[in-house]
Amino acid sequence: MSVKALDKKREFNIRKYTMIIALVGIWLLFTFLDDTGTFLTSRNLANLFKQMSVTAILAMGMFMILVDLHIDLSLGSLVGLSGGVCALLMYNFNMHPFLAIILTMLFGVCCGIFTGSWVNAGVPAFIASLGGMLAYRGLIMGISGGQSIPTSHPAFRFLGTAYVPFSIGWIVGIIASVAIVYMLMKKRQSRIKFGFEVKSMALEGLYMVIYVGIIMTFVVVMNSYKGIPMPIAIVMVLALILNFVATKTKFGRQVFAIGGNKEAARLSGVDIKKRTLQIFIISGLMAAVAGILLTARLGTATTDAGNGFELDAVASCVIGGTSLLGGEGTIIGAVLGALVMASIDNGMSILDTQAYWQLIVKGMILIIAVFVDIYTKKKGK
């Protein structure tokens, strides 16, 4: 790689740090504007992480769809329908929560197969998922009779309302810190082995201190309230799994290859239709998990649950660095994008800002994020 290309690559890498800087800026702004001192309390941060969990899970599903140059507008409706199906299985059929959750996740997989099959048949993803969005919303209204469905089973509510015990939170924090140091060192050794440029050991150590500091600060703050909220613990586990799938497996590499250059991927032997169906299955499964968590947190399934969530998922991905031009982005970025969206909602609610301002601000941030994406892509050519 030429020096010029390396310079450009470094320039592109600034994007992911821009989002983190923006997140810190948003938190500092709300802290400054909040006279009550509520925003940075451990209680509010715990609520903030619980609020972002549904959007973050949806964003992880939407991430692969966008990387593959598709879109799935049905995810928000599928959140509502999945929550309704799970609640109905427990409320009407007296089913054990564990079995109801498994069947609901299988239902989400089937919905993903439904949408993905239409896309593979030649229907544009926008239209196929738009049809799904309307159909799923109609289904939840039909099966619930337009009524809310209560869910009070303690084992089910545990998923949405419980907290990880303090001791387990510390253990998870220590394991995560050791893992991040190990991965950074392993990556460094690998780059040295193959002759790539590496950071100085001092700079590498600074990165390790920062990452470990963020992890342990998170554990300390959450443990100072009631512990790590169960929904965000589930988000972290899913993020680790999907990040591994996206970056370390043949499937992940082929999904990025399709998004980067579909024709080149086809000529390289990638089964485009098979991969397309698989990413819609993953997004359907993520929507089902999000629906289960939302219903468990609220204690009831409603016909309007998940309304507009698909747009929040798209915005989270784009703000988190996923390119609408395909082939670029990260799972971690999508999760951080969801945190940015939730922080804006939470902070403006604390400031008692009118609801319409929240939509205006989030819309403007989305437009700016897309502009930055397109601008940096053009500049990179």
Side-chain angles (χ1 to χ4, degrees):
M1 186 179 288
S2 66
V3 174
K4 188 177 180 181
L6 281 171
D7 289 341
K8 284 185 176 180
K9 185 173 178 59
R10 290 193 195 101
E11 191 175 329
F12 282 164
N13 286 341
I14 291 174
R15 270 191 73 194
K16 64 182 179 183
Y17 300 114
T18 302
M19 183 185 57
I20 296 174
I21 293 169
L23 179 62
V24 172
I26 289 170
W27 283 25
L28 289 176
L29 177 64
F30 284 127
T31 302
F32 176 75
L33 295 176
D34 175 26
D35 294 333
T36 63
T38 304
F39 185 75
L40 278 187
T41 61
S42 56
R43 177 178 181 177
N44 185 59
L45 290 176
N47 289 331
L48 171 61
F49 287 125
K50 282 198 286 188
Q51 289 170 5
M52 68 161 277
S53 59
V54 171
T55 305
I57 293 172
L58 268 190
M60 285 188 268
M62 185 68 83
F63 161 76
M64 290 197 180
I65 299 284
L66 294 178
V67 166
D68 213 23
L69 280 176
H70 293 297
I71 193 166
D72 191 344
L73 297 177
S74 68
L75 292 185
S77 295
L78 187 51
V79 168
L81 179 58
S82 300
V85 168
C86 193
L88 270 177
L89 290 174
M90 291 184 289
Y91 187 75
N92 285 12
F93 298 95
N94 201 25
M95 192 174 287
H96 189 278
F98 179 76
L99 184 57
I101 289 170
I102 296 297
L103 290 178
T104 303
M105 291 170 68
L106 289 175
F107 176 74
V109 168
C110 292
C111 291
I113 293 174
F114 175 77
T115 307
S117 298
W118 281 113
V119 174
N120 277 341
V123 178
F126 179 85
I127 300 299
S129 60
L130 181 62
M133 179 178 75
L134 297 173
Y136 299 154
R137 189 60 65 188
L139 274 174
I140 181 59
M141 293 175 69
I143 63 176
S144 66
Q147 303 294 320
S148 298
I149 309 166
T151 55
S152 57
H153 198 294
F156 183 70
R157 296 297 310 279
F158 176 86
L159 291 174
T161 59
Y163 293 83
V164 175
F166 294 165
S167 57
I168 296 180
W170 283 116
I171 293 171
V172 170
I174 292 170
I175 292 175
S177 299
V178 172
I180 196 82
V181 171
Y182 172 76
M183 286 190 291
L184 287 174
M185 288 304 298
K186 187 176 180 182
K187 182 179 178 182
R188 177 183 175 84
Q189 290 169 356
S190 177
R191 290 183 66 85
I192 293 173
K193 180 180 178 181
F194 292 102
F196 289 106
E197 185 183 0
V198 294
K199 304 182 189 77
S200 67
M201 195 57 221
L203 185 58
E204 197 77 72
L206 179 61
Y207 272 87
M208 291 178 191
V209 170
I210 292 173
Y211 288 140
V212 172
I214 291 173
I215 292 170
M216 298 313 293
T217 301
F218 171 75
V219 175
V220 169
V221 172
M222 293 297 101
N223 277 359
S224 65
Y225 181 52
K226 293 182 178 179
I228 300 172
M230 188 59 69
I232 200 64
I234 295 172
V235 168
M236 289 190 289
V237 171
L238 290 175
L240 286 175
I241 294 172
L242 288 180
N243 187 60
F244 177 81
V245 170
T247 59
K248 303 295 183 184
T249 67
K250 179 181 176 183
F251 166 79
R253 289 191 291 272
Q254 291 188 347
V255 168
F256 277 92
I258 294 170
N261 190 324
K262 191 172 185 178
E263 192 56 34
R266 189 194 308 278
L267 293 174
S268 301
V270 177
D271 190 335
I272 305 290
K273 289 190 175 183
K274 181 180 177 182
R275 295 306 181 209
T276 299
L277 186 61
Q278 288 171 336
I279 60 172
F280 275 96
I281 289 174
I282 291 173
S283 68
L285 178 60
M286 290 298 105
V289 173
I292 292 167
L293 280 186
L294 180 65
T295 306
R297 180 162 63 88
L298 299 178
T300 184
T302 60
T303 54
D304 61 349
N307 194 17
F309 280 18
E310 65 280 351
L311 300 181
D312 282 347
V314 172
S316 299
C317 291
V318 174
I319 291 170
T322 304
S323 175
L324 289 179
L325 302 177
E328 187 180 334
T330 63
I331 287 288
I332 304 302
V335 174
L336 288 176
L339 181 57
V340 169
M341 298 285 286
S343 298
I344 294 170
D345 278 338
N346 183 279
M348 295 186 80
S349 296
I350 290 175
L351 297 178
D352 199 22
T353 309
Q354 295 288 338
Y356 64 86
W357 274 113
Q358 297 180 22
L359 298 175
I360 292 172
V361 170
K362 288 197 293 186
M364 292 307 300
I365 290 175
L366 175 61
I367 293 171
I368 293 170
V370 173
F371 170 76
V372 171
D373 172 40
I374 294 174
Y375 176 77
T376 51
K377 281 271 187 179
K378 286 181 178 177
K379 197 174 179 182
K381 289 181 179 179

